Amino acid sequence: MIRCTIIGAGPVGTLMGLLLAERGHPVRLIERRPDPRGTPPQAGRSINLALAARGLTALEQAGLSQVVAPQMIAMPGRLVHELAGSLQFLPYGQNEREVIYAVSRERLGVALIEAAAAHPRIELQFDARCLDLDPVAGTLALRDERSGATRSERFEIALAADGAGSAVRAALAARGYSRVREEPLAHDYKELTIAAFTGADQTGRWPLEP
């Protein structure tokens, strides 16, 4: 079977590696960040993800649906707070069965990494940043994020899952294999934590809908 090298071991890259490994392919997962099983999550990346039917199906095919299910929170819709103080509920689906599920990015990532680490066909490399990719020579230029040392490795098939600032995409664009237009957003997001309420008030009503 062809060996697949995946650049980026986030949720997408790791899930792709698990599915390929289940089909018999040896897989090498390369990730620039440290192993999430032993390091705290990167600041600003803890925003929850929303899983719809496609994501749930993929997790089921990878044999992880039972592992992730206890971490999911059903989201039937969004609640719009009007300026005058009224509330408007907007369902996501056409009926009450059509919901999406919130899941922690950190917990989902760790669950996927644990499954990949346990798979005999998957090799994990952390703290390895992809600097360049040469599709003609079939080589990757990597840098060890701990020592700063650089090295070159060969690949049979390389799959890019290295996010918005993809080094693979930049390498292909620099060689004329693809055209890229990047437009960074002028804004960011602010993450707020709202502590859970411990119970109802004297009227029996919750201050915030559970």
Side-chain angles (χ1 to χ4, degrees), residues 101-115:
Y101 295 88
V103 64
S104 162
R105 175 190 290 269
E106 174 194 0
R107 293 177 183 175
L108 176 62
V110 169
L112 289 165
I113 289 293
E114 288 176 343

Side-chain angles (χ1 to χ4, degrees), residues 23-207:
R23 293 190 176 193
H25 294 280
V27 174
R28 179 174 49 163
L29 275 167
I30 298 175
E31 172 57 46
R32 64 180 176 84
R33 292 189 293 269
D35 189 337
R37 293 171 294 177
T39 56
Q42 187 176 354
R45 295 184 61 85
S46 61
I47 186 171
N48 278 15
L49 301 177
L51 287 174
R54 290 176 297 175
L56 295 172
T57 299
L59 289 172
E60 184 177 359
Q61 290 176 348
L64 289 174
S65 56
Q66 297 302 316
V67 175
V68 178
Q71 306 173 22
M72 301 190 310
I73 299 174
M75 296 192 296
R78 61 167 56 92
L79 195 64
V80 178
H81 296 252
E82 305 286 355
L83 291 176
S86 61
L87 302 177
Q88 182 183 8
F89 176 73
L90 303 176
Y92 287 133
Q94 300 296 319
N95 56 64
E96 61 183 13
R97 296 189 305 274
E98 295 181 347
V99 299
I100 60 178
Y101 295 88
V103 64
S104 162
R105 175 190 290 269
E106 174 194 0
R107 293 177 183 175
L108 176 62
V110 169
L112 289 165
I113 289 293
E114 288 176 343
H119 203 292
R121 295 192 184 93
I122 297 180
E123 173 193 353
L124 289 167
Q125 293 185 20
F126 295 101
D127 296 295
R129 181 184 292 269
C130 177
L131 301 176
D132 193 23
L133 177 145
D134 188 335
V136 175
T139 57
L140 288 170
L142 302 173
R143 182 179 70 207
D144 188 306
E145 294 291 84
R146 292 167 296 185
S147 67
T150 59
R151 67 183 186 274
S152 177
E153 292 187 9
R154 298 193 61 81
F155 66 84
E156 292 182 79
I157 289 183
L159 301 167
D162 51 344
S166 172
V168 176
R169 182 173 63 243
L172 295 176
R175 290 170 171 81
Y177 290 107
S178 64
R179 292 185 297 174
V180 175
R181 187 182 69 180
E182 297 183 1
E183 298 180 11
L185 297 175
H187 62 273
D188 205 339
Y189 71 88
K190 180 65 177 177
E191 191 172 308
L192 302 175
T193 299
I194 302 175
F197 290 98
T198 57
D201 59 20
Q202 294 179 352
T203 66
R205 298 176 60 187
W206 289 74

